[in-house]
């Protein structure tokens, strides 16, 4: 997964189009034309501490894999919000 900054949101998605669609579904607004691809090695502030975007993505993927192992259906590569700036 990659990280994209759309407006005030950093979204993890496999493609830019998936990130745009997720933004539209979550906010009800059309995604702006200016979308920035962000390195997964960028540090962000989350829950009071600095973490790498890569670590956030890995944690979510680990959780989703655990759900799949328990037999709970989920879309492993569904986009998600990393943080709101």
């Amino acid at each position: 997964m990659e990280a994209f900054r759309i407006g005030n949101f950093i979204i993890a998605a496999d493609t830019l189009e998936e990130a745009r669609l997720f933004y539209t579904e979550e906010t009800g607004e059309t995604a702006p034309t200016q979308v920035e691809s962000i390195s997964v090695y960028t540090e962000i502030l989350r829950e009071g501490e600095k973490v790498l975007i890569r670590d956030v993505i890995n944690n979510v993927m680990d959780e989703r894999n655990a759900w799949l192992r328990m037999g709970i259906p989920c879309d492993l590569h569904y986009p998600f919000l990393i943080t709101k700036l």
Side-chain angles (χ1 to χ4, degrees):
M1 296 191 99
E2 299 178 49
F4 301 94
R5 181 176 180 183
I6 303 176
N8 291 335
F9 296 87
I10 298 179
I11 298 170
D14 285 334
T15 65
L16 174 59
E17 287 305 314
E18 287 179 353
R20 286 176 165 278
L21 183 60
F22 180 81
Y23 176 88
T24 301
E25 288 174 356
E26 291 298 310
T27 64
E29 302 173 4
T30 304
T33 55
Q34 182 70 8
V35 175
E36 179 183 355
S37 181
I38 299 177
S39 169
V40 294
Y41 295 102
T42 303
E43 283 187 337
I44 59 169
L45 190 61
R46 187 172 168 128
E47 298 176 7
E49 64 181 75
K50 288 185 179 181
V51 295
L52 294 175
I53 289 174
R54 177 196 67 178
D55 294 336
V56 175
I57 292 172
N58 287 341
N59 288 340
V60 170
M61 297 300 281
D62 288 345
E63 289 172 5
R64 291 178 178 180
N65 274 315
W67 296 341
L68 288 171
R69 283 192 300 275
M70 290 185 288
I72 300 170
C74 73
D75 186 354
L76 185 61
H77 285 270
Y78 191 78
F80 61 92
L81 177 67
I82 294 175
T83 192
K84 183 176 178 183
L85 305 172

